[in-house]
Each structure stands twice: as C-alpha cells, then as structure tokens.
Amino acid sequence: MSRPGTKGVPREQREQQILEIATTEFGGRGYAYTSLTDIATAAGVSKPLIYTYFGSRDGLHAACVQRAGKSLVDAVASAQTVSGADKALATLTAIFRALDGQTENWKLIYDTTLPRPSEAYALAREYQDALNTMGAEGVAEVLAGSDDADDHSLLLALWFSIVSTTIAWWSENPTQTPQQMTERCLRLFTAVRQPA
Amino acid sequence: MSRPGTKGVPREQREQQILEIATTEFGGRGYAYTSLTDIATAAGVSKPLIYTYFGSRDGLHAACVQRAGKSLVDAVASAQTVSGADKALATLTAIFRALDGQTENWKLIYDTTLPRPSEAYALAREYQDALNTMGAEGVAEVLAGSDDADDHSLLLALWFSIVSTTIAWWSENPTQTPQQMTERCLRLFTAVRQPA
DNA sequence: CGGAGAATTGACTCTACGGTAAATTACCGC
DNA sequence: GCGGTAATTTACCGTAGAGTCAATTCTCCG
C-alpha cells in the first residue's frame, strides 16, 4: 500500500484504532473466520505492526475481549437499578439499555466460533460468567425452595442462553429501541406465565 | 500406514463407517476445527478415499448432516405423543426420549462454528427449522391472542435456544436419563411460572 | 543539523489444509 | 488362470494464513 516509515501516529492511538476494527471483525465473522490479514487490511495497517503491538493473533483477540468485556460489565452494572420484584426482567432491561450501541462488543464476548477448549474461549467465558452472575441473583430466587444443584445449573444455563438469543435477535432487528425490547420481553414473559 | 490396493470392504459399508466417524468429529470439535486429515486418520482411511466417495469436505459434511438430520427428525416425530395441554413441554420430552444416544447427531446439526452464511449452514439450518417447527405449534399457542409478528419471531427463537441449551447441558451431564431430564424441566417450568 | 529511537512496511518462511494424479492391490466373472 | 473393475494408497500441488526479519522513514531532542 504505502512506503515504510512512521506516520506519526503514537502507539496508544494506533492500538485503540486497531482494537476497534478488530473487535468489529472478530465479532462479525467470528474468531474462526477472521484472519489477521483481514483485520490489518480493514484497519489500513500492515500485519507486522499488529504483531509488534499485540504479539500474536490471540494476543490481539485477548485485548479485544478484555476491552469489550470491561465495557459491557460496566455498562450493565451502572444500568442496573435495584428493582424489587422480577429481578430477571429488570436485568434484561438493564442489558438492553447498556447494549444500545455496543452490539459488536456483545458479539465478540459471545462468539460461538471460538475453539473449545482454548485460552481464548476461557477468557471470553470469564466475561460471560461475569455478566451472567449479574442476573444470577434473580434467577436463583426462582428456585428458592430447591437445593438441587443440577436444577440451578441448568436454569442458569437457560437464563444465559435466553439473554444471548434475545440479544442476537435484536442485532438482527436493529430498528428496535431498548424500550421496545423491554416491552416485548415483558409481553412474552407474562404470556408464558399464564397457563395455556 | 498400509499399502495401496483394495481391502475388500464394499463402498456402501465404508461410506457408513466414514459417515459415523465424521459425524463424531464434526460434531465434537465443530466444523471449523475439523480437518479432513483428522477424519481420515480417525477413520483409519486415507484422504483420497474420502474424496472418491464424498467429493469434497463440504460434500462429506453435507452427507453427515442429512443423515443426522433425518435420524433426528424421525426420532422426534415418532416420539411425539399428541398430548393436550403444554405442548411445548411434551415436545421437549419427546426430544429427550428421541435423543437418548444421538447427541452426536444433535451437536452436528446445531454446530455453532459453521460459517454464516454458507451452504453448510443453510443445510444444517433446514433441519434445525424442521425440528423447530415440530415444537412451534405449542409455542404459537402461547401467543394465541397476539398478532405481532416480531413477538412470534422472538419467541420462536427463544424456544429454539432453550431446546438447544438444554440438550447441550445434557450432553455435558450425560448420566441423566431422559426421565430425569423431563422431570427436571417440569420442575423448572413450574417454578418459573409461579410469581416470585 | 545530526542522530537516536519510534513507527511502519515489503518480502519472506513455514506449516496445515483442501484437493488431485497416478499407481497398486485384491476380488470376481469368464 | 486372466483381465476388468472396484478399492485403496503414496506422493504431490496450490493456497492461505500465522508469524518473522530487516530495511525505511519520520519525529524530536540536544
């Protein structure tokens, strides 16, 4: 593309730029289908530069995941109002508000093409669990009477996947506002609750 | 490994053997992380043989998906008793019974590492949809009053993911019998229904 | 103005994988 | 027994992607 030699962009700034693009790429196509060459091209930068800054493909990916994960956790935490009843639904609402505009981050953290097991998956999983735990309290409430560990385990997994699916649905129907999503979920929730 | 020349195994039989092994490999590690060399080695057969019989990696994968998909659809269809109330739960039960021993097939059809979009994904998706539709009737019932298409769309996606997640959980806790799974789901279902 | 160090790249290596060509062996009908 | 055909392999090609080396240019400080 262009000649070698510095362009005067300081490292910190380039790193941020690369992280943003890489997050979009990794999140969009998935880890398994995103090559460093792809990212370098998209970022308008050469491959060796990425290596000098992030060490390896996995290093870059890890950096993206950390950034995205922190951002999501912060957003959800600060959006979470301590509502009394129906904590689960409140958490969903918080997530919807927090996610407005960070769907790339979400897709990165919940990338299903990550190899399992792997370092990359383990790291993403940490943030998944962190976000998960924020909703777990309300979920555990539902099974207050029971002490069956497997029941809790499965219900948590289900909660997990419900959130993921809803977000995925949202990112395929992006015209929806957080407000609308909340209302929609409330409708479905109550509909399911009512005996048929 | 061994010298060329036939070993007297007829084509049909070899094909079946390869299909079985390939299903396990594709289903286990995921499409994105399973190479033909892996499969050939696991099947104790050479790569060109697979090409002669299935044409390409995608050809082999497609054959696996068809086989697995048909088997699953058949099993679920025949296990599905027309119970009156709570069709969704009945379908889940049917799936649990049908799935006993075919978790490999399930993992293949619901492989999340498939590239999207792609022929391979489209085919797997067909069977996902087919299985999905079998439960969809009960799901639609829940929203009998509403005609909001988006509501139906999201709820269907959720149903979808609930089934997937439960199966995934099961395949990580394989000591559970279908009976136990059914009871567990019933417990969770009623627990969620009761207002907290 | 000169040079040290940061920023940046083109061009390379190595490996793994999808796919192919051609040769080899065993079986089966005549 | 013999030739045709089905079954099967070894050895190879082309490509793409991870990772590396050494050279080049800019900036900024003295």
Side-chain angles (χ1 to χ4, degrees):
Chain A
M1 275 291 172
S2 68
R3 328 210 306 277
T6 182
K7 282 163 196 151
V9 182
R11 173 164 186 161
E12 180 63 24
Q13 190 178 329
R14 261 284 136 80
E15 282 183 355
Q16 292 308 317
Q17 174 204 348
I18 294 173
L19 281 178
E20 261 173 54
I21 304 268
T23 299
T24 313
E25 296 285 316
F26 275 135
R29 258 166 284 183
Y31 174 90
Y33 301 100
T34 306
S35 75
L36 254 175
T37 312
D38 289 343
I39 296 173
T41 304
V45 127
S46 77
K47 223 168 29 153
L49 188 64
I50 300 189
Y51 277 94
T52 19
Y53 286 170
F54 298 97
S56 70
R57 184 172 102 117
D58 281 1
L60 172 60
H61 182 261
C64 290
V65 168
Q66 302 237 15
R67 194 181 108 114
K70 275 183 193 141
S71 171
L72 284 177
V73 168
D74 283 2
V76 172
S78 75
Q80 200 159 27
T81 46
V82 203
S83 133
D86 264 337
K87 260 201 184 129
L89 205 59
T91 305
L92 251 187
T93 305
I95 289 177
F96 291 150
R97 259 188 296 160
L99 229 66
D100 208 17
Q102 341 195 5
T103 53
E104 299 309 325
N105 286 340
W106 183 272
K107 289 206 271 184
L108 180 71
I109 298 294
Y110 287 86
D111 184 355
T112 59
T113 76
L114 286 169
R116 284 149 86 158
S118 71
E119 290 287 326
Y121 175 69
L123 185 59
R125 187 60 195 262
E126 272 180 38
Y127 286 101
Q128 289 176 17
D129 284 346
L131 290 166
N132 208 14
T133 308
M134 300 173 122
E137 213 179 318
V139 173
E141 245 168 43
V142 172
L143 287 181
S146 155
D147 60 346
D148 183 325
D150 283 343
D151 275 11
H152 280 85
S153 158
L154 175 56
L155 187 59
L156 201 60
L158 283 171
W159 158 254
F160 207 22
S161 96
I162 285 170
V163 174
S164 292
T165 303
T166 309
I167 303 301
W169 186 91
W170 192 11
S171 79
E172 278 162 26
N173 299 264
T175 63
Q176 308 269 317
T177 66
Q179 178 93 23
Q180 281 176 304
M181 286 302 291
T182 301
E183 284 161 12
R184 190 179 303 290
C185 285
L186 184 57
R187 270 201 305 279
L188 296 187
F189 202 54
T190 52
V192 170
R193 265 201 177 160
Q194 277 164 13
Chain B
M1 272 290 172
S2 68
R3 327 208 307 274
T6 183
K7 283 162 193 153
V9 182
R11 174 165 185 158
E12 180 63 25
Q13 190 177 329
R14 261 285 134 83
E15 283 184 354
Q16 292 309 317
Q17 174 206 346
I18 294 173
L19 280 178
E20 262 174 51
I21 305 264
T23 300
T24 313
E25 297 285 316
F26 275 135
R29 255 165 288 182
Y31 174 90
Y33 300 100
T34 307
S35 74
L36 254 176
T37 313
D38 289 343
I39 296 174
T41 305
V45 127
S46 78
K47 227 172 22 158
L49 188 63
I50 299 188
Y51 277 95
T52 332
Y53 286 170
F54 298 96
S56 70
R57 184 173 102 116
D58 281 359
L60 172 60
H61 183 261
C64 289
V65 168
Q66 302 238 16
R67 192 181 110 115
K70 276 183 193 143
S71 172
L72 284 177
V73 168
D74 283 1
V76 171
S78 76
Q80 200 160 26
T81 46
V82 202
S83 134
D86 264 339
K87 257 195 186 139
L89 204 58
T91 305
L92 251 188
T93 305
I95 290 178
F96 291 151
R97 260 187 295 161
L99 229 65
D100 209 15
Q102 335 195 11
T103 52
E104 299 309 325
N105 286 342
W106 184 273
K107 289 206 272 184
L108 180 70
I109 299 293
Y110 286 87
D111 184 355
T112 58
T113 77
L114 286 169
R116 284 148 89 162
S118 71
E119 289 288 326
Y121 175 70
L123 185 59
R125 188 60 194 262
E126 273 182 38
Y127 287 100
Q128 289 175 17
D129 285 345
L131 290 165
N132 208 15
T133 309
M134 299 174 129
E137 213 179 318
V139 172
E141 242 168 46
V142 172
L143 288 182
S146 155
D147 61 345
D148 182 325
D150 284 343
D151 275 10
H152 280 86
S153 159
L154 175 55
L155 188 59
L156 201 62
L158 283 170
W159 158 255
F160 206 22
S161 95
I162 285 170
V163 175
S164 291
T165 303
T166 309
I167 303 302
W169 187 90
W170 191 10
S171 81
E172 278 163 26
N173 299 263
T175 63
Q176 308 269 319
T177 66
Q179 177 93 23
Q180 282 176 302
M181 286 303 291
T182 303
E183 284 162 10
R184 189 177 304 289
C185 285
L186 184 58
R187 268 202 308 279
L188 296 187
F189 203 53
T190 52
V192 170
R193 265 199 177 161
Q194 276 165 12

